[in-house]
Amino acid sequence: MRHDLVIHEADAARIDAVLERFLGDAGSAAVLLIERSGEPLAMAGSARTLDTVSIAALAAGAFSSTAALARLLGETEFSVLFHEGAKESLHVSTVDDDTILLAIFDERTTVGMVRLFAREASQSLKAILVDARRQPRRTGVLAAPLTPEEARSAIRQRPA
Amino acid sequence: MSIINYAAKVINFKIVYYGPGMAGKTANLQYVHRCLPDDNRGNMISLATGDDRTLFFDFLPVSATSVRGFTTKFQLYTVPGQSRYNMTRKLVLRGVDGIVFVADSQWDRLKENVESLRNLNDNLREYRLDLNAVPYVVQYNKRDLPDVAPIDYLEYTLNRGARRVPAFEAVAVTGTGVFDALNTVSRMVLLREFGQVQEGAS
């Protein structure tokens, strides 16, 4: 079973708007929308200055192992994961079956605020992602199959 | 699962290195990390036990040549090989687009290879995936060691599914066969996603 995801420009703009609103409402410094397979889908705030690729992979790993823990205890899932640091804290919550939302925040706000607005943002994001998953998979320049030359030249990794 | 983002012009794929414990999965990623220029790769993360065995996964993001203006990114993961870590191994497989099965060529590791391959099939089934349909290559690692099984024998034992997949001899710690396996599985993933115009077709 594959759940490939195509995010077109219009959906990307809608997602960005939700994330920006979340930052303002929750007082959070950064926010990332992450596929549970570990790939970052969108981000806002100071996230752009962080190693978001690594953060997404680790957060997805932590969240899925927490979900596995929940199942061992007879729960469907723990819907929130919270890590408190000396200066910055992390709040990870469920958006839908395939996606999670990670917020990074400091003492300028509270976990309660982050939690409240994360829930609200997740509802909006869920609706956008349902639309995105329904749309045609590829359009524009990616609609046509690869030519033999494109297929040959696309992947040529070698030691430096 | 592939993710195509038209706004960021990025295509993301996930490749998982699977195989028994100590077969050289982490060594593959370490070699790729060591040898690719900074522009083509990100930081490598290893979640390992105190004795350097993978506890959860290793992770290395790699960028390939762009396709029609879209940056193509491959997220490389390893799984923990030890049989007791099956739950975490299953979690890492989520959303996989391509698989490199790293087999240990030594005679006395044949049983572990066969068990790991069976375990891979079982875990894929839980995601309703089939090894015969997922882009997949086999790498016979540790070919430099003295007590290794012949390739024909390994092929007969480990590469006998409905389709024979590309297989490579390797010595991952020195890099032999590492990029052959990575490039081949990446190309297979790309072709599965985008198909290919047949040679001579107009």
Side-chain angles (χ1 to χ4, degrees):
Chain A
M1 183 175 63
R2 284 164 63 89
H3 289 290
D4 296 347
L5 176 62
V6 179
I7 300 176
H8 292 280
E9 282 97 337
D11 290 331
R14 289 168 69 198
I15 290 170
D16 284 347
V18 173
L19 297 183
E20 291 292 347
R21 194 168 63 234
F22 167 78
L23 287 182
D25 290 344
S28 175
V31 62
L32 268 93
L33 183 65
I34 299 167
E35 269 294 319
R36 292 193 192 210
S37 59
E39 290 148 283
L41 293 181
M43 67 199 72
S46 61
R48 291 177 209 288
T49 63
L50 303 170
D51 179 1
T52 49
V53 177
S54 300
I55 290 173
L58 287 169
F63 203 80
S64 28
S65 62
T66 308
L69 263 176
R71 283 193 293 276
L72 289 176
L73 298 177
E75 287 285 331
T76 320
E77 182 170 77
F78 293 133
S79 57
V80 170
L81 181 66
F82 172 54
H83 294 300
E84 186 173 6
K87 288 184 183 159
E88 294 198 290
S89 299
L90 281 183
H91 180 279
V92 189
S93 53
T94 303
V95 173
D96 61 22
D97 286 347
D98 295 309
T99 326
I100 53 178
L101 186 73
L102 177 147
I104 302 169
F105 61 99
D106 57 23
E107 75 285 351
R108 284 173 290 183
T109 185
T110 63
V111 63
M113 289 285 281
V114 171
R115 186 174 186 171
L116 174 68
F117 288 106
R119 204 176 294 152
E120 194 178 295
S122 292
Q123 290 302 320
S124 310
L125 292 167
K126 192 173 173 178
I128 298 168
L129 289 167
V130 166
D131 287 352
R133 289 182 207 280
R134 265 199 221 117
Q135 283 172 8
R137 300 188 55 232
R138 286 181 274 111
T139 55
V141 290
L142 295 181
L146 294 183
T147 64
E149 181 46 35
E150 281 176 316
R152 268 191 294 272
S153 65
I155 311 288
R156 273 192 297 219
Q157 300 283 12
R158 58 173 70 92
Chain B
M1 58 175 273
S2 66
I3 299 173
I4 302 175
N5 189 323
Y6 276 80
K9 290 207 174 304
V10 171
I11 307 167
N12 265 304
F13 296 108
K14 179 172 184 175
I15 292 178
V16 174
Y17 285 69
Y18 210 95
M22 306 295 279
K25 301 174 291 296
T26 301
N28 266 272
L29 260 64
Q30 284 170 334
Y31 184 79
V32 172
H33 180 256
R34 201 160 60 236
C35 294
L36 276 188
D38 290 352
D39 293 351
N40 289 81
R41 53 106 174 136
N43 293 323
M44 179 164 169
I45 292 169
S46 287
L47 303 180
T49 61
D51 55 355
D52 272 350
R53 301 191 62 172
T54 304
L55 175 64
F56 198 162
F57 58 76
D58 304 297
F59 169 70
L60 175 65
V62 166
S63 296
T65 313
S66 72
V67 174
R68 296 181 187 159
F70 282 64
T71 306
T72 312
K73 295 184 176 180
F74 291 88
Q75 324 270 22
L76 312 185
Y77 286 81
T78 67
V79 297
Q82 296 177 77
S83 50
R84 63 185 156 142
Y85 293 144
N86 192 48
M87 199 166 254
T88 46
R89 205 157 38 237
K90 209 181 311 176
L91 295 179
V92 177
L93 273 180
R94 182 178 185 134
V96 66
D97 291 297
I99 295 167
V100 178
F101 185 82
V102 182
D104 189 326
S105 298
Q106 297 175 95
W107 278 112
D108 63 0
R109 301 286 290 161
L110 278 177
K111 185 165 159 265
E112 283 83 353
N113 290 326
V114 172
E115 279 170 2
S116 177
L117 191 58
R118 190 179 301 139
N119 172 256
L120 170 59
N121 270 298
D122 291 346
N123 283 339
L124 285 174
R125 261 196 296 276
E126 295 216 11
Y127 290 110
R128 282 185 267 167
L129 289 170
D130 180 354
L131 196 52
N132 289 315
V134 177
Y136 162 58
V137 301
V138 182
Q139 184 192 63
Y140 299 115
N141 194 25
K142 305 195 180 183
R143 298 306 298 169
D144 57 329
L145 296 184
D147 196 21
V148 295
I151 290 296
D152 287 352
Y153 189 79
L154 291 168
E155 281 281 276
Y156 177 74
T157 315
L158 299 170
N159 196 1
R160 51 187 299 180
R163 56 172 182 155
R164 254 190 92 214
V165 299
F168 304 94
E169 294 188 50
V171 183
V173 284
T174 61
T176 306
V178 168
F179 279 95
D180 294 335
L182 174 60
N183 285 334
T184 303
V185 78
S186 305
R187 209 170 284 136
M188 288 164 79
V189 165
L190 205 60
L191 288 177
R192 180 194 159 117
E193 178 67 36
F194 294 106
Q196 184 178 3
V197 176
Q198 296 302 306
E199 299 271 3
S202 56

